[in-house]
Amino acid sequence: MSTHYKVVDNVAVITITNPPVNGLGHAVRLGIAEGIERAKSDPTVASIVLTGEGKAFSGGADMREFNSPKSGMEPGLNGVLSIIESSSKPVVAAVHSVAMGGGLELAMACHYRVAAPKARIALSEVTMGLLPGAGGTQRLPRLIGLESALNMIVHGTSISSEKLADSGLFDRMAEGDVVQEAIEFAKEMAKRSAPHPRARDKVVQHVNPEGLIAVARAAVDARYKNLPAPKRCLDALEASFKLPFDEALALERRSFLELMNGSVSKSLRHAFFSERAAAKLPDASGEIQERAIERVAVVGAGLMGSGIAMNFLSAGLPVVLVDVNDEAVNKGRRSIQANYEASVKKAKLAPEALEKRMQLLQTSSDLTSVSQCDLIIEAVYEDMPLKLSTFRALDEVAKPGAILASNTSTLDVNQIAASTKRPQDVIGLHFFSPANVMKLLEIVRGEKTSIEVLQTAFNIARRIGKVAVLSGVCDGFIGNRMIAKYSRRAQELVEQGALPEQVDRAAEEFGMAMGPFRMADLAGNDIGWAIRKRRYAEDPSQPRFEIADRLCESGNFGQKTGSGWYDYEPGQRKAKPSARTRALIEAYWKEKGISPRKFSNAEIVERLIFALVNEGAAILEEGIAARASDIDAVYLHGYGFPTWRGGPMFYADTVGIFNVNRAMRSLAQSDSSWTPSPLIERLAAKNSAFNA
Ligand code: NAD
């Protein structure tokens, strides 16, 4: 049962009971419609209260139903709303907490609304690439005015109900039990003669509605360049004062359906669901005994170590930060303090919170100080002999059951685990830089890592607000293994005739937060160089990154040295095309007898993104990633891939695997390294998709 019906003192109370957030799936829509009809035909009932059980009044449409036959099954939400609106007995919404999307549209179709303070109120469809599809763009401006409605709808902002107390949205703010007060209110309203007020009959208020829309259009064009939904929201809002209600409603509905079937909304919804799916261990079954994590240690107080420590301090967990000497630990402490102080300055953190966090931090140059910690994260230099000796030492001092994690970016977690007598407790926790900011955390599963340790790692990730994705062991794990191929293709483009700034522009126009060369300059070209030198030594057949190597040989490490692929003014991050880099590239072309060719932006994007896709397919095939959507989550949260494209694997699905395969085959005719992975061949043959 998705709704519940009872009568209290001549008031019918319809309660939505569809956990977790009372989503408006088909059964709920039917339940509400039947409840209203039942109340209408019961002569003892004089008025109706509509409410939700549990955590929400209603969180809105049931997104799992989208693009399924159920979403089209009658009654649709608009149908339910018109049944409510046309009731001659007054219908009162009792909003005790969340009323979002369709949930708020439902409340707005009621004749009256009573709300508790602190209820979250929003029409946030735009965040999923949609617009409110059941009258939200028409009723909200009529109730709270055009400008306030526009701000809520176009940005999807959620507002606390008490801030809307005088907006016209609510007829009464409850002081106690909102359902009880709504029942009392409904009894009063029943005494009034019909018809009861309907939002649709109100007039949209604004002194200069056309002007407001024009200004908003300019702002939306600048801010949401690649997103169609905010523009459609404005069209619908414009219709709220230009067209009769029902015509405007039809326009809103058409826009909703078009957006829902478009690739941007599909991508945004995929991004939302991929983050949720990634949080579930693919082979977890039954009850898993999770380990309690109350004290954390971080070994290595450098760039990563101090950032990693901040995550736990911010979440209220005590941290011991260890390094080789007082100077190194104090440097770590100072960097943490400075970071928090910057947040205080920006008024993002209260000074008392800074104090509290710093009190949770203990620093030490003695490794035995980690002995009482439940989770120990190693972040020393990326050097295998050092990692092995560190883990051997940790094995000696850590208490039984402690989780021993490495933040290595490229080294073999199995080998690290084997240096201890407890490989089941060893795991990779690969944070991204800056570790206190970046949302992504790759949880690396060693051959022997226990399921309890994995589950605990996922729970810890949630506590510190990270998006965790499971990865198997391989060089670079999911994200960096793929980015290595992408960077290689970026280099190749330059070797063949493109300039770094053109490659970056093409990638950025596609939507990447930063092109590959700007990204390398930010991360430090020396980091990739060190990894390449190791790989050249391990496997001399590895492709050489000659231009990048030459750049590093002359000390151009990027932003930190003021020069890299680009030039930088002292203390500035703005990348300026570099005559020095250009000369280096041209010298390379000349030396190798290359006549530089021209690339279109589309060709550049195809090579860069398909490089990710082909390696992603190999990663899937090898079981390094459990799901294509996990790879997408890695790229969306760790590599600045545009959310509105859903991630590289979803993007490939959007292009069509058949087409991806064909394009790669054609590139492979002159360069066999483009041979599509067997998984791509199979999916193309079946006309299937990564995220099928
Ligand atoms: P870093 O050079 O900034 O810091 C390393 C710290 O380890 C130094 O403070 C050093 O004194 C300390 N150290 C060395 N030996 C030690 C020992 N025996 N005991 C205790 N401390 C010791 O390096 P980083 O950039 O923070 O990288 C640390 C790890 O994180 C590496 O494995 C690296 O691959 C990984 N990582 C780095 C990045 C990045 O972007 N920098 C991103 C993800 C992962």
Side-chain angles (χ1 to χ4, degrees):
M1 268 237 301
S2 304
T3 52
H4 175 264
Y5 181 95
K6 69 178 178 185
V7 177
V8 184
D9 298 341
N10 296 18
V11 181
V13 180
I14 303 169
T15 309
I16 310 171
T17 56
N18 186 22
V21 294
N22 292 329
L24 301 170
H26 178 247
V28 172
R29 300 196 299 269
L30 196 61
I32 298 172
E34 285 174 358
I36 301 280
E37 296 300 348
R38 185 167 160 192
K40 279 205 265 188
S41 56
D42 181 345
T44 70
V45 166
S47 58
I48 303 161
V49 164
L50 177 62
T51 190
E53 190 178 78
K55 281 201 288 194
F57 171 76
S58 167
D62 192 339
M63 276 209 293
R64 288 161 302 190
E65 230 179 51
F66 281 13
N67 299 102
S68 86
K70 273 197 175 167
S71 68
M73 269 162 73
E74 295 295 345
L77 188 53
N78 268 321
V80 176
L81 303 194
S82 86
I83 292 171
I84 293 174
E85 228 171 22
S86 62
S87 161
S88 55
K89 297 180 183 176
V91 184
V92 182
V95 179
H96 67 294
S97 72
V98 180
M100 290 176 76
L104 181 55
E105 291 177 306
L106 179 66
M108 289 193 293
C110 296
H111 303 109
Y112 306 100
R113 285 155 293 281
V114 176
K118 296 204 165 45
R120 272 177 65 209
I121 307 297
L123 288 177
S124 52
E125 286 85 347
V126 77
T127 61
M128 292 291 146
L130 299 166
L131 85 173
T137 62
Q138 304 307 306
R139 290 191 181 91
L140 193 62
R142 283 172 166 79
L143 288 167
I144 71 171
L146 186 61
E147 188 160 354
S148 308
L150 186 150
N151 288 330
M152 281 179 75
I153 291 172
V154 172
H155 307 295
T157 335
S158 100
I159 301 186
S160 190
S161 52
E162 67 269 21
K163 292 208 176 118
L164 291 163
D166 301 320
S167 67
L169 184 58
F170 301 116
D171 299 276
R172 185 169 289 185
M173 293 303 291
E175 284 162 10
D177 178 342
V178 64
V179 176
Q180 201 48 49
E181 292 189 33
I183 291 173
E184 294 310 318
F185 185 77
K187 286 187 205 166
E188 280 173 45
M189 294 305 110
K191 292 179 198 144
R192 289 195 186 169
S193 52
H196 292 278
R198 304 185 306 173
R200 64 156 61 219
D201 300 326
K202 293 184 189 297
V203 175
V204 173
Q205 296 294 334
H206 197 273
V207 279
N208 178 9
E210 308 261 8
L212 177 69
I213 296 285
V215 170
R217 269 196 212 289
V220 157
D221 284 345
R223 182 164 167 190
Y224 301 114
K225 205 168 54 167
N226 299 303
L227 304 177
K231 298 177 190 72
R232 295 300 193 92
C233 289
L234 288 177
D235 294 344
L237 283 159
E238 186 173 29
S240 75
F241 59 84
K242 281 197 165 161
L243 297 181
F245 186 88
D246 286 313
E247 273 178 46
L249 206 61
L251 177 142
E252 179 200 75
R253 190 73 201 154
R254 275 197 309 277
S255 286
F256 178 83
L257 291 174
E258 276 175 38
L259 290 171
M260 191 168 77
N261 289 317
S263 67
V264 170
S265 174
K266 283 183 182 162
S267 300
L268 291 171
R269 282 179 276 141
H270 171 75
F272 175 81
F273 284 115
S274 61
E275 182 178 331
R276 286 195 173 181
K280 293 192 188 88
L281 260 176
D283 57 349
S285 60
E287 190 70 1
I288 300 173
Q289 206 61 44
E290 192 202 318
R291 297 191 190 170
I293 304 292
E294 272 148 27
R295 293 183 68 79
V296 177
V298 180
V299 180
L303 176 74
M304 291 306 287
S306 40
I308 293 170
M310 286 179 74
N311 286 290
F312 296 96
L313 297 171
S314 305
L317 281 151
V319 175
V320 186
L321 183 62
V322 183
D323 208 303
V324 285
N325 53 38
D326 287 349
E327 196 192 327
V329 291
N330 288 336
K331 196 170 158 223
R333 176 185 282 275
R334 278 196 305 275
S335 123
I336 294 175
Q337 173 104 22
N339 249 303
Y340 282 141
E341 275 168 2
S343 305
V344 170
K345 254 195 206 129
K346 287 185 214 144
K348 286 186 176 163
L349 186 71
E352 310 81 66
L354 180 151
E355 285 306 309
K356 223 164 126 194
R357 290 176 188 187
M358 291 311 289
Q359 277 163 15
L360 289 169
L361 177 66
Q362 182 198 330
T363 47
S364 170
S365 54
D366 174 5
L367 198 64
T368 58
S369 59
V370 309
S371 63
Q372 290 315 305
C373 293
D374 308 299
L375 168 66
I376 304 168
I377 304 173
E378 165 279 310
V380 303
Y381 301 127
E382 187 77 338
D383 172 64
M384 190 52 126
L386 176 62
K387 301 266 183 203
L388 295 179
S389 66
T390 305
F391 272 78
R392 272 196 294 272
L394 287 175
D395 198 12
E396 294 296 318
V397 298
K399 68 178 185 182
I403 296 178
L404 309 183
S406 174
N407 179 49
T408 178
S409 318
T410 53
L411 301 175
D412 182 346
V413 173
N414 291 329
Q415 200 184 335
I416 294 173
S419 70
T420 72
K421 290 187 279 305
R422 40 176 130 180
Q424 74 284 356
D425 295 341
V426 176
I427 193 169
L429 288 183
H430 186 216
F431 288 84
F432 287 72
S433 181
N436 56 316
V437 177
M438 294 295 287
K439 294 287 275 179
L440 178 63
L441 175 66
E442 283 179 326
I443 295 185
V444 184
R445 173 184 216 157
E447 255 166 34
K448 300 206 169 134
T449 311
S450 77
I451 193 103
E452 292 80 17
V453 167
L454 282 173
Q455 185 64 58
T456 308
F458 271 98
N459 292 343
I460 266 291
R462 187 157 10 92
R463 269 167 86 182
I464 62 173
K466 298 288 180 201
V467 174
V469 178
L470 187 65
S471 170
V473 175
C474 66
D475 192 349
F477 313 122
I478 298 173
N480 283 346
R481 175 170 155 182
M482 287 167 63
I483 211 75
K485 300 288 178 183
Y486 169 93
S487 304
R488 174 70 210 127
R489 294 296 177 196
Q491 296 283 318
E492 195 180 84
L493 285 158
V494 172
E495 286 162 12
Q496 295 175 4
L499 287 172
E501 44 273 31
Q502 191 203 352
V503 176
D504 281 354
R505 204 179 323 112
E508 287 161 19
E509 276 173 13
F510 171 80
M512 299 299 289
M514 217 181 262
F517 295 102
R518 282 216 296 140
M519 190 175 75
D521 271 0
L522 174 65
N525 294 313
D526 51 325
I527 294 183
W529 191 35
I531 296 172
R532 285 198 301 279
K533 282 193 281 191
R534 172 172 67 76
R535 291 188 180 139
Y536 296 157
E538 280 170 8
D539 174 9
S541 72
Q542 284 268 328
R544 301 259 155 178
F545 288 52
E546 279 189 50
I547 299 178
D549 292 347
R550 287 179 193 186
L551 201 69
C552 289
E553 280 154 18
S554 47
N556 299 299
F557 293 160
Q559 286 190 16
K560 60 175 140 185
T561 58
S563 64
W565 294 101
Y566 296 91
D567 289 337
Y568 301 88
E569 299 286 345
Q572 302 236 330
R573 289 173 174 276
K574 191 172 169 356
K576 298 199 311 187
S578 160
R580 178 189 31 76
T581 302
R582 190 173 178 140
L584 193 150
I585 294 168
E586 284 173 351
Y588 173 87
W589 290 336
K590 201 163 162 211
E591 187 187 313
K592 303 273 172 188
I594 295 166
S595 41
R597 61 160 284 207
K598 289 225 174 310
F599 289 94
S600 70
N601 283 3
E603 266 179 298
I604 292 173
V605 166
E606 183 175 276
R607 289 193 183 199
L608 294 177
I609 307 301
F610 287 2
L612 292 177
V613 173
N614 211 16
E615 195 64 10
I619 281 174
L620 268 179
E621 190 116 88
E622 291 167 33
I624 299 291
R627 323 168 181 93
S629 64
D630 284 2
I631 298 177
D632 289 331
V634 165
Y635 266 76
L636 295 173
H637 297 286
Y639 294 85
F641 200 94
T643 318
W644 55 275
R645 293 206 191 261
M649 309 314 274
F650 191 79
Y651 172 71
D653 289 346
T654 316
V655 172
I657 304 298
F658 178 87
N659 301 319
V660 171
N661 190 41
R662 222 179 41 157
M664 281 189 198
R665 277 189 185 182
S666 139
L667 286 163
Q669 281 172 1
S670 51
D671 173 358
S672 64
S673 69
W674 273 110
T675 305
S677 91
L679 177 60
I680 292 182
E681 290 283 0
R682 285 202 307 280
L683 292 176
K686 286 194 293 185
N687 210 358
S688 186
F690 287 119
N691 293 282

